[in-house]
Amino acid sequence: MQLKEKCMASDFHNEVVKSRKIRFVQWNKVFLFLVTMVMPSGGNNEMYGKIKRLIDFVLSTCSLIVLSPLFVVLILAIKLDSKGPILFKQNRMGIHQSPFKILKFRTMKIDTPQDIPTHLLKNPDQYMTRIGKFLRKSSLDELPQVWNILIGQMSIIGPRPALWNQYDLIEEREKYSANSVKPGLTGWAQINGRDELPIHVKARLDGQYVERMGFRMDVTCFFKTILYIVKREGIVEGSTQANNDIEMTDRIEVKPHFIPINKED
């Protein structure tokens, strides 16, 4: 009798395990199917464009909620550190070169020259606030752009939005159709050099992103950005970059995951 009960219990256990395995396989197939749908197939992938917008909306909403205590702390720190507004608004170029106001936490004093990239300023430290230096180093000054993402002006991943007067960068991006996608909080160029890159290389990398845009590319950019922020790679402050751009054009060190589109420069 006991042996029969043990056999029945064993059979029941095996059926439960088998049922769980079947459900796991079924859900795994569903997951793989969804991932396959959003794999890279170029910037004209309408299906991924819709999924990408949904991901942007969900993640930006969650970020605003989860990071709200950090926002409060940073707002207080900025207000106590120096005179001026909490947020810095600047004209940037969005998808199809449509202008919009990008948001950042203010890191500079109110007498700083407007519409000039920080790395082109001479001695930018004289304009930087105390809390601003920390925000720049940690990239926390970019957090307010979560709002730009939420309302659809930006995406989490994409080419960084150019200043309205960066005509050379905008024109160079046009060659690679990089102006045809939403600008991002971070992107392919940012994990391949960031401020160290001359304009024509940055534009080419943005074009590569457009060609290969998809779930795998976006996940790669996202996690490598976190790694680069921790390692502090590719960030240049001051006019050194401006003076060295021409020299770097011919001697820039290309990383292993950089894949040239063509050899014409």
Side-chain angles (χ1 to χ4, degrees):
M1 188 68 178
Q2 291 180 350
L3 180 61
K4 185 177 181 180
E5 289 178 353
K6 288 182 179 179
C7 290
M8 291 177 63
S10 178
D11 290 340
F12 177 76
H13 174 73
N14 290 336
E15 286 297 322
V16 171
V17 172
K18 184 178 179 181
S19 177
R20 288 178 177 176
K21 285 183 177 179
I22 292 174
R23 286 200 298 270
F24 174 79
V25 170
Q26 289 174 339
W27 280 109
N28 193 43
K29 287 181 178 179
V30 171
F31 175 75
L32 291 175
F33 171 74
L34 292 174
V35 171
T36 301
M37 285 178 61
V38 295
M39 281 299 171
S41 60
N44 295 322
N45 187 344
E46 293 184 7
M47 174 63 73
Y48 182 63
K50 294 177 181 178
I51 295 174
K52 182 179 175 71
R53 174 57 192 150
L54 177 62
I55 294 172
D56 287 339
F57 181 81
V58 171
L59 290 183
S60 58
T61 302
C62 293
S63 297
L64 284 173
I65 296 171
V66 173
L67 297 175
S68 56
L70 178 59
F71 273 82
V72 173
V73 172
L74 294 178
I75 287 171
L76 290 174
I78 293 168
K79 205 63 183 173
L80 293 172
D81 183 51
S82 62
K83 295 180 180 179
I86 295 167
L87 294 177
F88 170 69
K89 300 178 182 179
Q90 191 177 53
N91 291 320
R92 295 291 181 108
M93 304 307 292
I95 185 171
H96 303 309
Q97 301 186 43
S98 57
F100 73 100
K101 294 281 189 182
I102 196 172
L103 301 178
K104 292 187 178 187
F105 281 129
R106 182 175 58 83
T107 60
M108 313 289 278
K109 298 175 183 177
I110 56 177
D111 59 345
T112 305
Q114 297 295 309
D115 295 326
I116 299 177
T118 307
H119 65 270
L120 295 181
L121 291 172
K122 293 183 178 180
N123 189 19
D125 286 342
Q126 67 177 318
Y127 300 110
M128 197 86 66
T129 63
R130 289 172 296 179
I131 187 65
K133 292 178 181 179
F134 166 74
L135 292 175
R136 286 291 183 100
K137 288 181 179 179
S138 60
S139 294
L140 290 175
D141 61 314
E142 310 284 357
L143 281 182
Q145 288 163 47
V146 172
W147 177 255
N148 293 117
I149 296 170
L150 180 66
I151 63 177
Q153 294 174 329
M154 291 177 60
S155 180
I156 295 174
I157 308 297
R160 282 296 293 165
L163 284 165
W164 66 272
N165 57 359
Q166 286 184 297
Y167 305 115
D168 46 359
L169 177 59
I170 295 170
E171 183 179 352
E172 198 69 24
R173 280 177 170 174
E174 195 65 29
K175 298 177 183 179
Y176 304 106
S177 301
N179 294 320
S180 64
V181 297
K182 286 182 182 178
L185 186 63
T186 184
W188 187 236
Q190 280 60 55
I191 65 171
N192 280 278
R194 196 170 173 173
D195 295 335
E196 294 177 350
L197 298 174
I199 286 174
H200 77 283
V201 176
K202 186 180 293 185
R204 186 193 302 168
L205 286 166
D206 291 333
Q208 286 183 6
Y209 172 78
V210 174
E211 284 198 347
R212 303 169 60 190
M213 188 175 74
F215 185 76
R216 183 180 295 166
M217 169 65 90
D218 283 356
V219 170
T220 298
C221 291
F222 182 82
F223 285 106
K224 285 194 175 182
T225 296
I226 296 175
L227 179 63
Y228 279 33
I229 289 174
V230 173
K231 295 172 67 177
R232 293 277 300 142
E233 288 188 1
I235 302 174
V236 177
E237 301 284 10
S239 59
T240 304
Q241 167 66 13
N243 295 333
N244 291 338
D245 266 353
I246 298 177
E247 295 178 18
M248 289 180 64
T249 301
D250 296 320
R251 60 180 177 83
I252 184 168
E253 180 181 352
V254 175
K255 299 189 177 183
H257 50 277
F258 172 79
I259 305 173
I261 292 176
N262 57 55
K263 297 183 179 178
E264 295 180 5
D265 283 317

